[in-house]
């Protein structure tokens, strides 16, 4: 199957899950996770109708920007962002989805102020409490949201999470449901229900994420095929 055919299949599954949650497919944003795929693949995905492309690695993102890989669609940064690489991402990505610590939040604010712009971000939540993953603990997220709202050069657009790896089918539903409750709570208490995005769900579980309330999914393998990590 081609990238175009894969996207059509993903869209069909998104539409079914959206209907089951009382929404339309148009309510869900499809981010093509384009790590390890070249500029031509990115352009094919854009032509086939992804809503945005998401990159995990700063060096790869920078190289592909120079090739105009993302022309025609917003660019999101969805991977772990080191503080010493913030300067390369702020002002380049329309949305940084992976702001998972106070130190990183303040670094993005500092760089955005230097560039005299407002950077859109999502606060990343470590919903499974995994030691190896970045992100705010669920109980820390409210304080992070309060801090972020006071920073003049960042704008929080919502929350993002990467749950633990599934061990049984639909095993992440419990995490998605917990994340959705947290999103609703923070949106109502701190942001006057002005947040727009809850980004959760990837190739193996995006339908469950949508059923649990996600309105932004990050899909890589199901669009671009399996990645070759031997290269």
């Amino acid at each position: 199957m081609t990238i175009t055919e894969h996207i059509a299949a993903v869209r069909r599954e998104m539409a079914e899950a959206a209907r089951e949650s009382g929404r339309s497919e148009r309510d869900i944003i499809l981010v093509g996770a384009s790590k390890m795929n070249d500029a031509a693949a990115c352009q094919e995905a854009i032509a086939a109708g992804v809503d945005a492309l998401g990159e995990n690695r700063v060096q790869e993102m920078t190289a592909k920007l120079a090739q105009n890989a993302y022309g025609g669609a917003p660019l999101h940064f969805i991977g772990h962002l080191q503080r010493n690489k913030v300067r390369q991402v702020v002002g380049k990505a329309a949305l940084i989805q992976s702001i998972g610590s106070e130190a990183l939040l303040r670094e993005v604010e500092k760089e955005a102020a230097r560039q005299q712009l407002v950077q859109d971000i999502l606060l990343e939540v470590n919903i499974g409490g995994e030691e190896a993953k970045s992100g705010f603990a669920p109980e820390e997220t409210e304080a992070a949201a309060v801090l972020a709202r006071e920073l003049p050069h960042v704008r929080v657009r919502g929350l993002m999470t990467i749950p633990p790896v599934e061990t049984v089918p639909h095993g992440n539903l419990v995490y998605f449901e917990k994340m959705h409750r947290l999103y609703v709570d923070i949106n109502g208490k701190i942001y006057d229900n002005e947040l727009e995005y809850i980004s959760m769900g990837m190739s193996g579980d995006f339908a469950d994420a949508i059923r649990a309330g996600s309105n932004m999914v990050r899909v890589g393998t199901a669009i671009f095929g399996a990645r070759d990590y031997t290269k």
Side-chain angles (χ1 to χ4, degrees), residues 70-162:
Y70 315 113
L75 169 63
H76 293 187
F77 190 81
I78 61 177
H80 177 66
L81 180 57
Q82 296 173 308
R83 288 168 61 194
N84 64 354
K85 295 185 178 179
V86 162
R87 181 172 292 194
Q88 296 169 262
V89 177
V90 168
K92 304 293 194 303
L95 183 67
I96 303 175
Q97 294 202 23
S98 47
I99 303 299
S101 71
E102 180 179 331
L104 181 58
L105 177 62
R106 291 188 182 278
E107 192 67 31
V108 170
E109 163 67 21
K110 178 181 175 182
E111 178 58 26
R114 189 187 71 82
Q115 295 188 32
Q116 299 182 319
L117 55 81
V118 176
Q119 176 66 57
D120 284 351
I121 65 169
L122 303 183
L123 298 176
E124 181 178 359
V125 182
N126 184 353
I127 199 66
E130 298 175 276
E131 290 186 9
K133 280 185 181 171
S134 57
F136 294 101
E139 62 272 16
E140 299 171 342
T141 307
E142 182 175 329
V146 170
L147 169 61
R149 188 165 190 180
E150 300 304 313
L151 300 177
H153 297 93
V154 297
R155 178 171 59 171
V156 177
R157 304 292 299 277
L159 304 181
M160 182 270 260
T161 197
I162 303 172

Side-chain angles (χ1 to χ4, degrees), residues 21-112:
S21 66
R23 294 175 292 163
S24 162
E25 181 207 340
R26 293 188 299 273
D27 299 321
I28 319 298
I29 293 172
L30 175 59
V31 180
S34 46
K35 179 174 74 173
M36 299 177 66
N37 287 278
D38 62 17
C42 291
Q43 281 295 297
E44 183 178 346
I46 292 169
V50 294
D51 299 304
L53 286 174
E55 288 294 348
N56 290 68
R57 299 170 176 173
V58 174
Q59 185 175 359
E60 181 178 350
M61 182 198 83
T62 301
K64 284 152 73 171
L65 274 169
Q67 299 166 3
N68 197 34
Y70 315 113
L75 169 63
H76 293 187
F77 190 81
I78 61 177
H80 177 66
L81 180 57
Q82 296 173 308
R83 288 168 61 194
N84 64 354
K85 295 185 178 179
V86 162
R87 181 172 292 194
Q88 296 169 262
V89 177
V90 168
K92 304 293 194 303
L95 183 67
I96 303 175
Q97 294 202 23
S98 47
I99 303 299
S101 71
E102 180 179 331
L104 181 58
L105 177 62
R106 291 188 182 278
E107 192 67 31
V108 170
E109 163 67 21
K110 178 181 175 182
E111 178 58 26

Side-chain angles (χ1 to χ4, degrees), residues 2 4 46 88 93 98 145 148 172 176 189 205:
T2 65
T4 299
I46 292 169
Q88 296 169 262
S98 47
N172 279 337
F176 293 145
K189 288 169 64 175
D205 56 17

Side-chain angles (χ1 to χ4, degrees), residues 186-229:
I186 287 176
N187 200 8
K189 288 169 64 175
I190 300 170
Y191 285 98
D192 301 320
N193 292 311
E194 293 180 351
L195 295 182
E196 298 175 71
Y197 305 129
I198 174 168
S199 175
M200 56 184 190
M202 298 186 288
S203 287
D205 56 17
F206 66 83
D208 278 344
I210 292 169
R211 294 184 187 102
S214 175
N215 61 13
M216 181 180 285
V217 295
R218 311 176 305 274
V219 180
T221 302
I223 289 175
F224 296 102
R227 299 183 179 102
D228 183 358
Y229 287 95

